[in-house]
């Protein structure tokens, strides 16, 4: 059986490509679909079906673009009612792709239409299951997202649906099946996902807390709901885009791919009040940036932090990127529904600086320099990591203000005296620093390498406690 993971930028939502006798099926495609089309052309295969496990919240699926370009049929599981033509499959329905089969297993819980796809090879042997957000490696999908779109679908109701789906639909399946989930560690769609991308179902039955056969339904509900935080604010908007349809990526890029010289860039920024988003490395941003821009680097959890920190999904955006990273920035914004990029700074920040335009900078020091500084003076330290990271281990006396809550706690940052800012490695603290700088703070320094480097110093820290959740 020919099943390959096609990665297009991240582990999460790796699409699975199944090909047989000149026919192919795509599962949960990312926003940019050309790699799938190119692969099918290379294999002399026709894309027959586009299978969606559910209406995704964390990204805009590429199913509509892919179907429009290939005439493939879009397939959702039972109860799905999108605003465009699809095949709404029934539970246990079989779809044939050449000699292979894809069996529909309705597994509501993460959402009501959530579906697992059982892959069956040319000999009739069950090969694996594409579980979407129903079952992860080491975890299960959070059952609280659909309530942000449909109010009466409470997290308790969904958690009980998920329990029944796991017990009655997933656990009876063969131990040797390979589990292909939609996410790996770092996703906001679960709490304790493994960094591993596949496993056998048998091993998950032994090691995944949610598949403990002795766990009652009530115990499961408590376990799966404990430790959840509010999902990123853009999730409901993405769900609705995936249900109702969206502008094609080609159209989005045509609008966004507009190079602007410094004068044009400055004029449009002033006229439109567009957000200036700088996607360069934190170290490059600190050394010089356009005033009032914010830094969310492509090298980190870009999509998640864009969704967390840019609250209006329709916000107009002007980009400053590393040379050659312009289109990648546009595409990665569009993956999560931010389709209003209106241009980018041609030749990057270098052109702005060479034009003699006003620039800003941020001060950074090493953890060793911080250690020396704190020996001689008492300076407030602000830790912008997640609460779970802070509770696990932190610098004594540090105040925890998680990055995604910073705009609600600006009054806690002193204006009249200096302070220190850090996260785990420098990515999030630079985003926080750019926000504070935009709001008028300039009396702070950022720690290069964050808490990872602070741990190597002799500065007093709390005892390490193993975190019970990754949220």
């Amino acid at each position: 059986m020919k099943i390959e993971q096609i990665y297009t930028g991240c582990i999460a939502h790796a699409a699975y490509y199944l090909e047989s006798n000149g026919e192919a099926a795509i599962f949960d495609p990312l926003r940019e679909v050309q790699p799938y089309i190119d692969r099918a052309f290379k294999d002399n295969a026709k894309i027959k079906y586009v299978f969606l496990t559910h209406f995704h919240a964390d990204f805009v699926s590429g199913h509509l673009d892919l179907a429009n370009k290939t005439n493939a049929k879009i397939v959702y599981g039972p109860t799905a009612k999108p605003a465009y033509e699809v095949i709404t499959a029934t539970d246990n329905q079989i779809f044939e792709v050449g000699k292979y089969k894809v069996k529909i297993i309705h597994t509501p819980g993460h959402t009501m239409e959530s579906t697992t796809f059982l892959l069956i090879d040319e000999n009739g042997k069950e090969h694996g299951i594409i579980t979407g957000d129903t079952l992860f490696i080491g975890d299960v999908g959070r059952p609280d997202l659909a309530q942000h779109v449909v109010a009466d679908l409470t997290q308790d109701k969904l958690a009980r649906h998920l329990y029944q789906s796991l017990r009655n639909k997933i656990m009876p399946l063969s131990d040797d099946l390979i589990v292909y989930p939609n996410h790996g560690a770092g996703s906001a769609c679960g709490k304790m996902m493994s960094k591993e991308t596949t496993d056998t179902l048998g091993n998950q039955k032994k090691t995944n807390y949610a598949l403990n056969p002795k766990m009652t339904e009530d115990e499961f509900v408590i376990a799966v709901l404990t430790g959840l935080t509010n999902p990123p604010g853009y999730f409901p908007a993405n769900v609705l885009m995936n249900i109702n349809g969206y502008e094609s990526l080609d159209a989005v890029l045509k609008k966004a791919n507009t190079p602007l010289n410094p004068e044009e860039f400055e004029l449009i920024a002033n006229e439109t009040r567009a957000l200036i988003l700088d996607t360069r490395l934190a170290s490059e941003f600190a050394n010089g940036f356009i005033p009032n821009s914010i830094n969310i680097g492509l090298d980190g959890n870009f999509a998640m932090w864009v969704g967390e920190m840019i609250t209006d999904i329709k916000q107009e955006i002007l980009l400053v990127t590393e040379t050659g990273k312009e289109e990648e920035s546009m595409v990665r914004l569009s993956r999560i529904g931010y389709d209003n990029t209106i241009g980018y700074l041609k030749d990057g920040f270098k052109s702005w600086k060479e034009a003699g335009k006003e620039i800003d900078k941020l001060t950074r020091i090493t953890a060793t320099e911080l250690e020396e500084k704190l020996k001689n003076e008492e300076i407030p330290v602000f830790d912008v990591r997640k609460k779970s990271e802070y509770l696990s281990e932190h610098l004594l006396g540090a105040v925890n203000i998680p990055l995604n809550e910073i705009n609600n706690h600006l009054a806690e940052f002193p204006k009249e005296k200096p302070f220190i800012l850090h996260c785990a490695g420098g990515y999030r603290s630079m985003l926080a620093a750019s926000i504070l700088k935009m709001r008028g703070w300039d009396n702070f320094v950022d720690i290069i390498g964050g808490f990872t480097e602070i741990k190597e110093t002799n500065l007093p820290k709390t005892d390490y406690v193993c975190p019970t959740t990754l949220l």
Side-chain angles (χ1 to χ4, degrees):
M1 190 174 202
K2 187 175 181 180
I3 300 174
E4 299 183 24
Q5 292 173 311
I6 301 175
Y7 295 99
T8 54
C10 61
I11 290 177
H13 300 295
Y16 295 87
Y17 177 97
L18 180 152
E19 182 265 319
S20 168
N21 287 6
E23 294 181 339
I26 302 293
F27 298 84
D28 289 348
L30 282 171
R31 184 76 158 105
E32 62 276 35
V33 300
Q34 197 58 45
Y36 311 129
I37 296 171
D38 292 344
R39 182 57 188 270
F41 179 80
K42 180 181 177 182
D43 287 351
N44 195 29
K46 175 185 177 182
I47 297 176
K48 186 177 183 181
Y49 296 115
V50 182
F51 290 95
L52 280 298
T53 56
H54 62 292
F55 295 122
H56 298 290
D58 58 324
F59 79 115
V60 177
S61 304
H63 57 305
L64 290 175
D65 286 345
L66 189 56
N68 287 337
K69 291 186 176 186
T70 64
N71 293 318
K73 300 295 184 182
I74 297 172
V75 180
Y76 276 105
T79 78
K81 296 179 180 179
Y84 43 86
E85 184 177 351
V86 300
I87 297 174
T88 302
T90 57
D91 198 19
N92 297 315
Q93 184 173 349
I94 300 278
F95 289 83
E96 295 187 356
V97 182
K99 298 178 181 178
Y100 306 145
K101 294 180 175 66
V102 179
K103 183 178 181 180
I104 302 299
I105 303 176
H106 188 209
T107 49
H110 175 66
T111 64
M112 287 308 295
E113 78 285 349
S114 286
T115 297
T116 293
F117 299 113
L118 175 64
L119 307 179
I120 304 169
D121 72 15
E122 69 273 27
N123 299 313
K125 178 176 173 54
E126 296 176 350
H127 169 86
I129 46 176
I130 295 175
T131 53
D133 287 22
T134 296
L135 176 64
F136 299 131
I137 308 304
D139 202 0
V140 291
R142 55 190 296 173
D144 65 322
L145 299 182
Q147 67 183 354
H148 295 276
V149 178
V150 182
D152 63 347
L153 280 178
T154 66
Q155 59 184 23
D156 182 85
K157 288 180 181 177
L158 286 164
R160 295 182 188 281
H161 279 297
L162 183 57
Y163 178 85
Q164 295 299 327
S165 292
L166 293 169
R167 294 305 183 278
N168 300 327
K169 298 292 189 70
I170 299 295
M171 292 177 69
L173 297 173
S174 301
D175 287 355
D176 62 350
L177 290 178
I178 299 173
V179 178
Y180 298 103
N182 263 15
H183 295 283
S187 167
C189 291
K191 295 185 295 184
M192 296 180 287
M193 284 178 275
S194 168
K195 65 181 180 181
E196 301 299 326
T197 56
T198 62
D199 193 11
T200 63
L201 181 57
N203 193 51
Q204 282 303 294
K205 291 177 185 178
K206 295 176 183 177
T207 60
N208 191 320
Y209 75 95
L211 301 187
N212 182 346
K214 296 181 180 179
M215 182 181 286
T216 67
E217 184 172 303
D218 287 340
E219 290 171 339
F220 175 87
V221 171
I222 293 171
V224 81
L225 295 182
T226 298
L228 292 179
T229 60
N230 288 330
Y234 75 97
F235 272 26
N238 272 204
V239 171
L240 292 175
M241 290 176 74
N242 285 323
I243 292 174
N244 296 325
Y246 48 79
E247 192 174 13
S248 74
L249 181 60
D250 290 343
V252 171
L253 292 182
K254 184 177 181 180
K255 175 179 60 178
N257 208 348
T258 303
L260 303 167
N261 64 39
E263 288 71 28
E264 293 169 328
F265 189 94
E266 185 174 36
L267 179 64
I268 292 176
N270 291 332
E271 287 182 345
T272 64
R273 301 181 68 84
L275 175 72
I276 302 174
L277 176 61
D278 193 318
T279 66
R280 294 177 297 155
L281 295 169
S283 56
E284 294 179 1
F285 181 83
N287 287 332
F289 57 92
I290 298 174
N292 296 319
S293 58
I294 67 168
N295 176 234
I296 308 180
L298 287 177
D299 63 316
N301 288 326
F302 178 75
M304 184 183 78
W305 287 115
V306 166
E308 285 275 15
M309 306 310 294
I310 304 177
T311 56
D312 183 5
I313 202 167
K314 297 185 183 299
Q315 169 70 55
E316 289 187 320
I317 294 172
L318 287 167
L319 286 171
V320 180
T321 76
E322 294 179 38
T323 302
K325 295 289 186 177
E326 298 88 357
E327 186 165 312
E328 179 184 347
S329 299
M330 298 166 199
V331 169
R332 290 178 66 177
L333 284 168
S334 187
R335 276 186 192 170
I336 53 171
Y338 289 77
D339 289 344
N340 287 304
T341 299
I342 58 176
Y344 66 90
L345 181 60
K346 185 180 180 181
D347 298 324
F349 181 72
K350 176 184 175 184
S351 68
W352 183 269
K353 189 174 181 180
E354 290 177 348
K357 300 291 186 181
E358 181 184 358
I359 67 171
D360 224 333
K361 293 184 179 182
L362 286 165
T363 302
R364 307 182 87 199
I365 62 173
T366 65
T368 302
E369 290 171 323
L370 173 65
E371 187 173 16
E372 289 300 314
K373 185 180 282 287
L374 293 181
K375 284 180 182 178
N376 302 317
E377 51 186 320
E378 190 172 315
I379 307 174
V381 177
F382 290 88
D383 182 338
V384 299
R385 295 177 299 161
K386 293 181 292 187
K387 184 179 180 180
S388 59
E389 295 173 277
Y390 176 83
L391 293 176
S392 177
E393 187 178 16
H394 62 264
L395 198 59
L396 284 179
V399 177
N400 180 222
I401 300 179
L403 174 58
N404 63 338
E405 300 177 17
I406 192 170
N407 287 316
N408 296 325
H409 295 274
L410 292 173
E412 297 177 38
F413 293 95
K415 272 278 182 80
E416 306 303 325
K417 60 181 181 180
F419 61 91
I420 307 296
L421 200 64
H422 81 82
C423 63
Y427 180 91
R428 286 172 286 177
S429 61
M430 188 53 61
L431 202 173
S434 66
I435 290 172
L436 290 171
K437 193 76 170 176
M438 177 191 292
R439 300 295 180 87
W441 277 263
D442 58 9
N443 54 328
F444 61 90
V445 297
D446 176 52
I447 305 304
I448 299 170
F451 193 71
T452 301
E453 296 300 321
I454 292 173
K455 286 179 65 172
E456 301 303 314
T457 70
N458 293 317
L459 287 167
K461 296 169 281 291
T462 61
D463 293 333
Y464 176 79
V465 176
C466 185
T468 57
T469 174
L470 297 180
L471 288 173

